[in-house]
Amino acid sequence: MAKLNRSFYTRPDVLQVAKDLLGCKIVTKLQGKITTGLIVDTEAYAGINDRASHAYNNKRTPRTEIMYGQGGVAYVYQIYGLHFLLNIITNKPGIPQGVMLRAIQPLEGIDVMLERRGKLRLDYSLTNGPGTLTKALGITKNELGQDVLGNRIWVEPREIVLDDSDIVETTRVGIDYAGDDAYLPYRFYIKDNPWRSKGKGLSV
DNA sequence: ATTGAGATTATT
DNA sequence: ATAATCTCAATC
């Protein structure tokens, strides 16, 4: 199956990339196992002018450096010492923007995902948060900097029809520290899809 | 060298 | 409501 190409990710409008990723299929081939899921919930982080972004104010640190590289690369970081969150970097080198995956709908390799999550039965909690979907897909900091056009992680094009009326725009989750930018409509999810992230914080 | 908080989750 | 748990970044 085809992979989304580099130019999909290097587009200048990170909001458009976040929307266009909805309905696409993310695939990981890790530990010799393939797992896939439909992307149903994303958030855009708009770089140096976005107070919610790790790269706000052009902040360059060892952690954020990857965001300044080329688009189509995985930015994985650990939060609360417990969970790994997956972003795909967008735009061209020097412009640190990216899209975080908040939730997926499991498609293939569900048995593997259940095992990685320590669950016995399939329910929404398998992959309905940014930290749970990475665990199900086997993504850890090992994948930091991986090319999303490589053979470990990639995304395949949307095969379902989605128009704007199928996409809900709302505020991002868990970024109260971002002041007014917490109210920007930079989160997108597929309307009526039950696999979307519940989230806490300021979501409408 | 020290400290404080975090793009969360699961449990009480 | 809160514990879990640790890396990173800012400050001293």
Side-chain angles (χ1 to χ4, degrees):
Chain A
M1 190 52 192
K3 298 172 184 176
L4 291 176
N5 56 30
R6 181 76 57 200
S7 59
F8 179 93
Y9 302 106
T10 56
R11 285 178 289 163
D13 184 354
V14 66
L15 299 175
Q16 192 63 49
V17 177
K19 274 192 268 194
D20 288 347
L21 279 170
L22 293 175
C24 296
K25 183 164 85 168
I26 182 164
V27 183
T28 64
K29 187 175 175 186
L30 300 170
Q31 304 150 343
K33 294 164 181 166
I34 289 196
T35 47
T36 76
L38 198 72
I39 298 171
V40 301
D41 198 337
T42 63
E43 285 179 354
Y45 286 85
I48 64 174
N49 295 316
D50 179 359
R51 288 193 62 191
S53 170
H54 293 160
Y56 174 61
N57 206 20
N58 226 7
K59 185 164 71 174
R60 290 185 95 119
T61 68
R63 181 170 77 160
T64 63
E65 198 58 34
I66 192 85
M67 299 183 74
Y68 293 84
Q70 75 172 334
V73 165
Y75 170 38
V76 180
Y77 73 96
Q78 192 176 26
I79 185 75
Y80 299 110
L82 300 168
H83 309 108
F84 294 102
L85 308 200
L86 172 65
N87 295 248
I88 301 177
I89 298 306
T90 66
N91 217 313
K92 59 187 178 185
I95 305 184
Q97 300 181 329
V99 176
M100 180 173 78
L101 271 52
R102 281 206 70 83
I104 63 172
Q105 174 178 342
L107 294 175
E108 296 150 74
I110 290 175
D111 50 338
V112 176
M113 296 196 236
L114 286 168
E115 187 182 342
R116 285 175 177 153
R117 293 274 290 119
K119 289 184 164 289
L120 298 175
R121 295 190 165 279
L122 179 60
D123 61 50
Y124 298 139
S125 69
L126 184 66
T127 55
N128 71 348
T132 58
L133 76 87
T134 55
K135 193 167 185 188
L137 292 172
I139 294 170
T140 67
K141 210 165 177 186
N142 285 337
E143 310 313 316
L144 173 61
Q146 278 295 323
D147 196 333
V148 180
L149 283 78
N151 57 9
R152 295 173 66 79
I153 305 176
W154 67 89
V155 183
E156 298 179 358
R158 185 188 286 173
E159 290 183 341
I160 59 176
V161 176
L162 286 181
D163 55 49
D164 282 350
S165 66
D166 299 313
I167 296 176
V168 178
E169 293 186 14
T170 183
T171 54
R172 293 171 291 182
V173 175
I175 52 159
D176 313 12
Y177 58 82
D180 290 344
D181 288 352
Y183 296 97
L184 294 170
Y186 283 4
R187 177 181 175 209
F188 307 95
Y189 62 82
I190 299 177
K191 188 179 180 182
D192 298 329
N193 186 299
W195 294 89
R196 76 180 161 89
S197 163
K198 299 296 177 245
K200 296 189 177 179
L202 279 174
S203 65
V204 177

